[in-house]
Amino acid sequence: MASKLLYGAAYYDEYMPYERLDKDIEMLKAAGMNVIRIAESTWATMEPEEGTYDFKHIDRVLHACEENGISVIIGTPTYAVPAWAVKKYPQIMVTTTQGQALYGARQIMDITNSDYLRLAKGAIEALVSHVADKACVIGYQLDNETKHYGTASSNVQERFVIYLKDKFEQDLNRLNDAFGLNYWSNRINTWEEFPDVRGTINGSLGAEYSKFQRRLVDEFLSWQAEIVRKYKKEHQFLTQNFDFEWRGHSYGLQPDVNHFRAAKALTIAGCDIYHPTQDDLTGEEIAFGGDMTRSLKQENYLVLETQAQGQQAWLPYEGQLRLQAFSHLASGANSVMYWHYHSIHNSFETYWKGVLSHDFEENDTYLEAKQIGKEFNALSKKLVNLKKKNNVAILVSNEALTAIKWFRIDTGMAFGNGSKPESFCEYNDVLRQVYNVLFHCNAEVDFVTSEMTERFGDYDLLVVPALYTASEECLSAIDCYVQKGGHLFMTFKSGVADENLKVYHDRLPHQLTDCLGMTYNQMTTPVKTKYSLAGVKLSESEQNVTEFMELLKPTTAKVIASYDHENWKRYAATTQNQYGKGIATYLGCKVSDEALKSLLMMCLKQAGIWNYENEISNQCVIRKGMNEEGKEILYYLNHRNIPVSLKYQGNDAASLLDGKHIENGQELTIDKWGVVILERSF
């Protein structure tokens, strides 16, 4: 449990153009910042030649922080290799489907290479043993936004074959059958002839290799954690700054890491969240990244990087930096840390600006950061360690994400091998649409995986987007969840293939036809097709069916929505089935946000989790949890450029930011880009 909120930034003394450490410490303290993160980018500076270490930049900063009561998170410097290491050991560089990488960028090494691991171990041990006794060091960040980097070198492929031998118990017939390798003569008759997996056209084999690559990340972070544990003090934590699929900003489930598995090596989960601002600030990415990270260990987490000024288009409007900071806390974060404190004067990230600009002088972002720091420090005991008890869970799957990269939603055609068209509907598009609609309904969620089926029953509503590939055990758990009284909302492209991406050869969705009360065996790409939802009036554009549609045939289910099209009107578009003690709703096509919102609102109400906060969701985002004093904290977050007024409902409350007393029925006003935080007794 954290003792206080952490507020700060990454700090790079080795990048500074002149001596100003004392001034920076002074400005950090003036801004109420109490933590910095250092060292994750220092390998070449810290170890200028193999086995020779220079800690002067690290020591200077640690000494200044010890003197001024600022905490420090040490990053292990393994994500960007020194030039000397590559010169001496060229096989350190990662080999991918594009060949071997050239030196220059970060994250271009083979995380399984023996020379890389040996050198990294030396650097980690030298650094951590040097700093562990410093009172200001509160924890360690393992590596930086770690992924597998597409590694496909010969040693990795050799390990993959060993992995397959273990999975299929040396039985090639089982492997060939599970992956359908008879197709196009891809059959493998001896282990010695196993081909270079980079060329495979087989989705099952390709997806299994992606799963194997993700496990290399688990292994790598566990390996680092074990090294650090030899030197760290009991009170010092281990974390990692997980990132998300990148679409110019943080977007969806990370394709190259299974965060749930990788987080097992950590004592506290951490993340990096970047998002649009100005007129495009919605709060969606902050909430999605936060909810995902909190779900990894079902505990509070650290935001280790987020933007201050960031990219040119992200310079926040007045009030937005503050709104963003409290939005992180509203998801259960115990820290907000900016990347980075000062702006860099040369090289790749020159214009990814920090709290300060290139002149190092006060600016509007810094002045707003000072306000945030003051409020964080004043309210730390009220807001730290916020506990959330949510009634909705979303089932996410790295395997389904990979599968849909192989078999596109819009055409069903495979592309694999890293190639893909510029624009099409992916797994994360389905996931984020469902998440975003729930977010704007003020329905807070946790995330679960198919390895967490025992937790399904903790939730009144289980949302399952595009679960293309799933084991029979997982599908049985979903079936059982509904029978016992759970409410299920499942989308198209679910229950299609087994865990090896072999399409089930019975009625779809496999093993769930009784639960869902329907089946289908045909699907198509919609053209001039409308979505007709019973009892709901949608505008012309909101009725459009896009990307994909399944032609559903109800058995015991009732039709909730149908297709408005001359040829497809005889099929259902959405069904709902009473099954056992529960209800299962199935959406068979890609619909508009408004149509999806109507469906999810119906499911929330049927699950008995619709309340006043949901009713006023069109006015303001409300997120809540319980603080350490056993009182409920409510965050009212206004992501619009106009003030919002609404009537408060509930027990008398204290407004924490202005000290006002709030009574039931009293009008609350939230400024544009503003936040109100209430504390009330249950």
Side-chain angles (χ1 to χ4, degrees):
M1 300 287 284
S3 60
K4 63 182 179 181
L5 294 173
L6 296 175
Y7 184 53
Y11 185 82
Y12 303 110
D13 185 61
E14 63 274 19
Y15 296 170
M16 300 303 293
Y18 64 91
E19 169 55 51
R20 57 170 288 117
L21 178 58
D22 290 344
K23 180 63 176 177
D24 284 336
I25 294 292
E26 177 187 323
M27 293 183 72
L28 284 164
K29 290 179 67 177
M33 294 187 179
N34 56 18
V35 64
I36 60 173
R37 188 190 68 174
I38 68 171
E40 86 278 5
S41 300
T42 62
W43 194 345
T45 309
M46 184 190 80
E47 189 179 8
E49 60 181 287
E50 186 173 357
T52 300
Y53 297 100
D54 181 353
F55 298 109
K56 66 174 178 288
H57 288 290
I58 293 167
D59 288 344
R60 278 167 38 81
V61 175
L62 291 179
H63 178 74
C65 288
E66 296 241 295
E67 291 288 310
N68 288 275
I70 295 175
S71 298
V72 180
I73 299 171
I74 299 289
T76 60
T78 48
Y79 82 115
V81 295
W84 60 259
V86 175
K87 185 70 173 178
K88 288 181 73 172
Y89 310 102
Q91 292 307 308
I92 281 176
M93 301 301 288
V94 69
T95 295
T96 69
T97 56
Q98 310 303 312
Q100 189 173 33
L102 297 175
Y103 183 77
R106 65 182 189 176
Q107 298 174 315
I108 49 171
M109 68 285 180
D110 177 356
I111 60 171
T112 72
N113 177 268
S114 58
D115 287 320
Y116 168 74
L117 293 172
R118 176 177 54 80
L119 295 173
K121 183 174 185 288
I124 296 167
E125 289 184 327
L127 174 62
V128 178
S129 63
H130 184 77
V131 304
D133 288 331
K134 303 295 183 183
C136 62
V137 175
I138 59 172
Y140 302 90
Q141 176 189 295
L142 306 178
D143 201 68
N144 182 79
E145 297 181 342
T146 313
K147 292 173 278 293
H148 59 66
Y149 315 127
T151 183
S153 59
S154 58
N155 70 296
V156 173
Q157 295 205 47
E158 288 169 8
R159 288 184 57 184
F160 179 54
V161 172
I162 295 169
Y163 162 86
L164 290 176
K165 286 180 178 180
D166 182 62
K167 174 171 179 163
F168 293 102
E169 298 176 322
Q170 301 281 339
D171 190 336
L172 272 171
N173 288 326
R174 284 182 57 198
L175 182 148
N176 284 306
D177 180 62
F179 291 169
L181 293 175
N182 287 342
Y183 182 79
W184 280 1
S185 291
N186 277 192
R187 184 177 182 84
I188 301 167
N189 293 305
T190 68
W191 290 107
E192 290 71 27
E193 72 189 36
F194 204 98
D196 190 322
V197 75
R198 291 178 296 175
T200 190
I201 51 81
N202 183 284
S204 296
L205 182 60
E208 192 68 32
Y209 185 65
S210 294
K211 183 192 297 183
F212 170 75
Q213 288 175 306
R214 289 192 290 270
R215 293 189 178 195
L216 296 177
V217 182
D218 308 341
E219 181 182 292
F220 179 67
L221 291 176
S222 294
W223 171 80
Q224 284 218 23
E226 286 306 307
I227 296 171
V228 176
R229 282 193 180 97
K230 295 177 183 177
Y231 302 96
K232 82 173 195 70
K233 304 305 178 186
E234 187 174 349
H235 68 278
Q236 294 171 335
F237 58 74
L238 296 178
T239 191
Q240 218 278 330
N241 56 331
F242 292 124
D243 65 348
F244 303 92
E245 187 200 35
W246 186 257
R247 299 193 183 180
H249 55 82
S250 305
Y251 187 74
L253 189 68
Q254 172 55 251
D256 296 337
V257 187
N258 183 326
H259 287 166
F260 288 86
R261 291 177 62 94
K264 293 177 181 178
L266 314 175
T267 58
I268 183 170
C271 64
D272 295 350
I273 300 175
Y274 295 99
H275 52 85
T277 56
Q278 300 184 8
D279 293 335
D280 295 323
L281 178 63
T282 63
E284 294 165 358
E285 285 78 23
I286 293 175
F288 176 86
D291 287 343
M292 181 68 72
T293 310
R294 187 190 66 251
S295 297
L296 300 182
K297 300 180 83 68
Q298 295 94 55
E299 288 288 350
N300 300 100
Y301 62 96
L302 302 176
V303 175
L304 293 155
E305 290 185 22
T306 192
Q307 66 222 49
Q309 299 182 71
Q311 297 181 22
Q312 183 169 300
W314 291 351
L315 183 67
Y317 291 158
E318 182 181 1
Q320 287 189 336
L321 193 74
R322 179 172 176 260
L323 172 61
Q324 292 159 197
F326 281 110
S327 295
H328 289 295
L329 301 189
S331 289
N334 273 343
S335 75
V336 175
M337 298 183 67
Y338 299 114
W339 200 89
H340 40 122
Y341 175 66
H342 56 81
S343 295
I344 298 169
H345 294 76
N346 57 286
S347 201
F348 191 71
E349 293 171 314
T350 298
Y351 288 100
W352 193 298
K353 295 177 69 177
V355 178
L356 302 183
S357 298
H358 293 109
D359 60 6
F360 298 131
E361 295 183 4
E362 291 188 356
N363 56 40
D364 288 341
T365 299
Y366 174 80
L367 294 175
E368 193 163 318
K370 287 181 72 172
Q371 180 187 1
I372 298 165
K374 182 178 179 181
E375 291 171 336
F376 271 28
N377 286 322
L379 298 176
S380 185
K381 290 184 179 179
K382 297 283 189 183
L383 304 182
V384 72
N385 298 322
L386 187 74
K387 297 303 176 192
K388 303 178 80 70
K389 177 67 174 71
N390 295 326
N391 298 311
V392 182
I394 299 178
L395 175 59
V396 291
S397 169
N398 280 97
E399 290 72 32
L401 186 157
T402 302
I404 289 173
K405 284 184 177 293
W406 278 94
F407 301 106
R408 291 170 49 175
I409 288 175
D410 55 349
T411 68
M413 299 299 291
F415 58 87
N417 292 332
S419 64
K420 69 176 185 178
E422 289 193 6
S423 178
F424 67 98
C425 182
E426 293 192 67
Y427 173 86
N428 272 328
D429 294 301
V430 184
L431 169 62
R432 277 297 306 272
Q433 186 190 24
V434 169
Y435 178 86
N436 292 351
V437 168
L438 287 168
F439 171 74
H440 290 294
C441 285
N442 284 339
E444 296 195 65
V445 309
D446 294 338
F447 290 97
V448 295
T449 72
S450 61
E451 296 179 349
M452 301 161 65
T453 56
E454 75 285 350
R455 296 194 58 223
F456 289 0
D458 295 342
Y459 300 95
D460 297 315
L461 176 63
L462 179 65
V463 178
V464 182
L467 188 64
Y468 181 89
T469 173
S471 68
E472 292 198 327
E473 290 75 16
C474 177
L475 297 175
S476 290
I478 294 172
D479 181 286
C480 184
Y481 165 79
V482 180
Q483 282 200 60
K484 290 183 176 180
H487 290 72
L488 171 70
F489 181 84
M490 178 174 273
T491 82
F492 52 90
K493 284 290 184 183
S494 292
V496 176
D498 68 13
E499 60 268 40
N500 297 316
L501 263 64
K502 177 180 274 190
V503 174
Y504 287 113
H505 50 79
D506 58 354
R507 300 169 73 205
L508 295 176
H510 178 69
Q511 212 164 316
L512 293 174
T513 52
D514 289 342
C515 174
L516 295 166
M518 67 83 193
T519 187
Y520 71 93
N521 53 22
Q522 291 186 299
M523 71 286 292
T524 189
T525 303
V527 178
K528 297 180 181 178
T529 304
K530 299 293 184 180
Y531 185 75
S532 180
L533 181 58
V536 177
K537 188 173 182 179
L538 299 170
S539 70
E540 187 74 14
S541 63
E542 291 167 354
Q543 296 175 41
N544 289 334
V545 179
T546 60
E547 306 285 354
F548 179 75
M549 56 190 288
E550 295 164 348
L551 307 178
L552 308 183
K553 300 175 182 178
T555 52
T556 59
K558 61 181 180 179
V559 177
I560 299 297
S562 56
Y563 296 116
D564 187 359
H565 184 280
E566 181 181 5
N567 196 66
W568 311 129
K569 60 186 177 183
R570 64 189 184 276
Y571 298 104
T574 303
T575 59
Q576 188 170 88
N577 192 46
Q578 181 77 45
Y579 183 63
K581 297 179 180 179
I583 297 175
T585 305
Y586 187 87
L587 171 64
C589 57
K590 184 78 161 55
V591 295
S592 68
D593 289 351
E594 283 304 312
L596 182 60
K597 182 176 182 180
S598 296
L599 287 172
L600 286 170
M601 284 171 59
M602 174 187 67
C603 292
L604 289 165
K605 290 175 181 178
Q606 290 172 337
I609 47 179
W610 190 261
N611 56 35
Y612 175 70
E613 282 80 21
N614 307 115
E615 289 287 350
I616 62 170
S617 58
N618 62 324
Q619 297 176 270
C620 188
V621 170
I622 302 175
R623 293 172 73 77
K624 55 190 177 182
M626 186 174 71
N627 70 10
E628 291 192 306
E629 298 174 2
K631 294 184 178 180
E632 189 172 37
I633 300 294
L634 293 90
Y635 287 87
Y636 293 75
L637 307 167
N638 181 15
H639 296 98
R640 289 188 283 179
N641 198 25
I642 55 172
V644 171
S645 292
L646 52 87
K647 286 191 182 298
Y648 167 73
Q649 285 192 9
N651 296 336
D652 286 5
S655 179
L656 295 181
L657 291 171
D658 59 16
K660 293 181 179 178
H661 179 76
I662 307 297
E663 297 179 349
N664 184 41
Q666 184 173 333
E667 187 170 276
L668 285 180
T669 299
I670 304 101
D671 292 337
K672 65 178 184 179
W673 312 119
V675 56
V676 168
I677 308 173
L678 301 185
E679 180 188 50
R680 69 184 181 190
S681 298
F682 284 98

